Amino acid sequence: MAEVVRECEVVVVGAGYSGLAAARHLARSGVDVLVLDARHRVGGRSFTDVTGAGFTIDRGGQWIGPTQDHLAALAAELGVATFATWTTGQGVELRDGKREPYVGLIPTSDPHGAADGIAAMLDLDLAAFEVPVEAPWAAPDAATLDARTLATHLDEHLSSASARSILEVAVKAIFGTGSGELSLLFALFYLHAGGGLTNLARTTGGAQEARFAGGSQQLAEGMAAELGERVILGAPVETVAHRPADVMLGARLVAPGADPADPSSDHRPLRVRARRAVVAMSPALCGRLTYTPALPGRRDQLCQRMPMGAVTKVHVIYDRPFWRDDGLNGQIVAPESALGSTFDNSPEDASHGAIVGFIAGDDCRRLEQAGTEARRVAILGDLERAFGPRARTPIEIVEQHWLAEPFTRGGPVAVSAPGALTALGPALREPVGPLHWAGTETATQWCGYLDGALSAGRRAADEVLCALKGEPVGLD
């Protein structure tokens, strides 16, 4: 089939929040830009969908909280309303076969453990605020911090086993992986970027404070609508040939309805020549492209040592939010369960009930192998213990296996292995010839979140604008 050839000033790889934000800023600055995305949709890790039973859900990122100013500004510009996450009532702790209601940030069934946990969270936040978000590798004792895992730190600083297990639930919910898999330095940077562990863990006043009426993906769709035909979907990029003054991307233009992840799907070869490129993907996915010449060793090693977390997002939908009748807010903390943490995800009008939960880290990988029925039994068992027998009979269970998504390969964010930041961190945002890097992982504020994706895209676009004008590219 005949090859399609396109030319532009700047090509953006990835039509998630970050790539679209970069492209929109470039287009508004008068730059001729194209955006390629492998999927037949925009949004990346933001994915609003209608279930088989007709319910609208966010399969990916969905929340907005205070200080997420880029996200709030975009929602206001596009006229997308938000509403508060339901928090009225008590949460439920499941531990040792027992069910204990609680009020507050963490369970209090073990008062000593609760105090120990709060103290540890505050200590982590104080340490995090000493790590510079622009260059965590320049922090005092960076090498020592980077050589240790977060697990080692928690084991040494928590005397209560119950507090230790509660914080592990929080770590899995935030990072999508266990505390033993990430560098302490990276964890401290990430906490600082999001306002601290306390801020990331809480709902009211924190990262999970509100949701978007109609779902988060409409913000990506709004940005894409402004770009119009400059967004090309179903176009997985495979090769990147780059020279100091230009770049050539090799991609497949996959027919609508065909699977972009299948190389044998009906497609046409696509080549895009540009002066600069913005690659707006996680480091792990950046590393799956073929570069000519090969990426510098430091950048390639970074891609290898920042794997994605492992998370399955689960929606369990009922005819009504019946747990509210019992004074419960839908939040579960369950250190020994498949669903380590949950939230009330019902619509604002409570026209039906929904619980959203996360299976993360080793539990995600284990239950991925166990199969659908094993996961269903585990999920409903956890919800029945928390909310009673009515939880056993939902209308629908919808799972989003981000680990198996071919163009995501995990979530919610890439994490840094011990030793990687101090050895390789500067390569995270440093351009390689005409190649610039975006994606939420490159953000210095709200890294890993939708807001961070937007600011990272804007930062990459500003780098490109400087490069196109022949000005030095300043890295923050």
Side-chain angles (χ1 to χ4, degrees):
M1 191 172 289
E3 181 179 65
V4 178
V5 179
R6 297 287 298 269
E7 293 190 357
C8 57
E9 286 185 278
V10 180
V11 61
V12 176
V13 183
Y17 268 58
S18 203
L20 292 170
R24 194 169 75 139
H25 184 46
L26 290 167
R28 288 181 171 185
S29 301
V31 174
D32 180 22
V33 62
L34 284 178
V35 183
L36 307 184
D37 196 281
R39 297 180 174 96
H40 289 300
R41 65 170 180 85
V42 299
R45 284 170 255 176
S46 169
F47 179 17
T48 305
D49 196 16
V50 177
T51 74
F55 300 106
T56 299
I57 62 171
D58 273 314
R59 290 178 175 266
Q62 66 173 54
W63 283 293
I64 180 172
T67 77
Q68 294 184 4
D69 298 332
H70 298 90
L71 191 55
L74 178 62
E77 178 186 345
L78 296 176
V80 177
T82 64
F83 64 97
T85 302
W86 182 271
T87 58
T88 302
Q90 296 177 305
V92 175
E93 178 188 16
L94 300 177
R95 183 194 297 277
D96 299 327
K98 299 178 182 177
R99 174 187 179 279
E100 295 284 349
Y102 72 93
V103 175
L105 183 60
I106 66 173
T108 53
S109 60
D110 174 4
H112 169 70
D116 194 28
I118 291 292
M121 293 174 71
L122 293 175
D123 286 345
L124 274 172
D125 284 351
L126 289 174
F129 297 143
E130 295 298 315
V131 174
V133 290
E134 295 83 6
W137 45 87
D141 299 323
T144 300
L145 295 172
D146 205 27
R148 295 161 59 81
T149 65
L150 177 58
T152 300
H153 176 86
L154 294 177
D155 290 343
E156 292 177 354
H157 287 78
L158 286 162
S159 61
S160 164
S162 65
R164 177 67 180 85
S165 63
I166 292 297
L167 261 66
E168 191 67 22
V169 169
V171 169
K172 287 183 176 180
I174 292 168
F175 295 97
T177 192
S179 59
E181 298 181 59
L182 64 156
S183 144
L184 175 58
L185 179 63
F186 172 78
L188 294 175
F189 150 74
Y190 195 89
L191 298 182
H192 188 180
L197 176 55
T198 303
N199 193 48
L200 295 182
R202 68 186 175 189
T203 306
T204 303
Q208 287 75 230
E209 182 172 75
R211 293 157 53 202
F212 296 100
S216 67
Q217 191 183 352
Q218 61 190 312
L219 300 182
E221 292 169 343
M223 288 189 285
E226 179 179 330
L227 293 164
E229 294 182 354
R230 287 173 286 198
V231 178
I232 302 174
L233 302 179
V237 173
E238 296 172 336
T239 63
V240 181
H242 58 100
R243 300 181 297 188
D246 65 3
V247 59
M248 175 74 79
L249 301 186
R252 290 180 293 114
L253 195 56
V254 180
D259 182 4
D262 181 357
S264 65
S265 290
D266 184 20
H267 71 274
R268 299 176 67 183
L270 170 65
R271 283 194 300 156
V272 178
R273 178 182 288 110
R275 293 174 60 189
R276 317 293 292 189
V278 175
V279 184
M281 302 190 300
S282 69
L285 289 183
C286 291
R288 295 189 178 207
L289 305 180
T290 299
Y291 298 86
T292 306
L295 292 177
R298 188 169 69 166
R299 173 69 202 190
D300 188 67
Q301 284 280 300
L302 179 77
C303 294
Q304 296 180 48
R305 297 181 65 184
M306 286 193 71
M308 295 295 287
V311 66
T312 295
K313 187 175 184 181
V314 181
H315 289 83
V316 186
I317 301 172
Y318 300 90
D319 60 349
R320 54 188 299 273
F322 61 84
W323 49 90
R324 298 180 185 179
D325 299 340
D326 298 324
L328 301 177
N329 61 20
Q331 295 182 23
I332 300 174
V333 174
E336 301 153 1
S337 301
L339 287 176
S341 58
T342 68
F343 298 86
D344 185 323
N345 220 46
S346 308
E348 186 175 16
D349 64 3
S351 55
H352 63 271
I355 294 291
V356 68
F358 301 91
I359 306 173
D362 284 340
D363 291 329
C364 175
R365 292 183 280 262
R366 174 176 54 84
L367 286 170
E368 193 81 18
Q369 291 294 108
T372 302
E373 185 55 32
R375 289 193 300 274
R376 180 183 177 89
V377 169
I379 290 164
L380 292 181
D382 293 342
L383 295 179
E384 183 176 21
R385 284 190 291 276
F387 303 134
R390 284 179 291 180
R392 175 61 65 178
T393 53
I395 296 173
E396 192 174 25
I397 298 177
V398 182
E399 300 175 306
Q400 179 64 27
H401 303 286
W402 286 106
L403 194 65
E405 278 283 310
F407 301 112
T408 308
R409 305 310 302 184
V413 66
V415 299
S416 182
L421 270 186
T422 47
L424 310 167
L428 185 60
R429 292 186 294 274
E430 188 175 79
V432 175
L435 308 180
H436 300 259
W437 312 104
T440 188
E441 283 80 10
T442 70
T444 57
Q445 297 294 329
W446 287 105
C447 176
Y449 290 76
L450 298 175
D451 187 84
L454 292 172
S455 64
R458 177 69 179 252
R459 184 265 312 153
D462 282 336
E463 288 177 13
V464 169
L465 291 172
C466 287
L468 292 175
K469 296 174 184 176
E471 300 173 359
V473 175
L475 293 178
D476 294 331

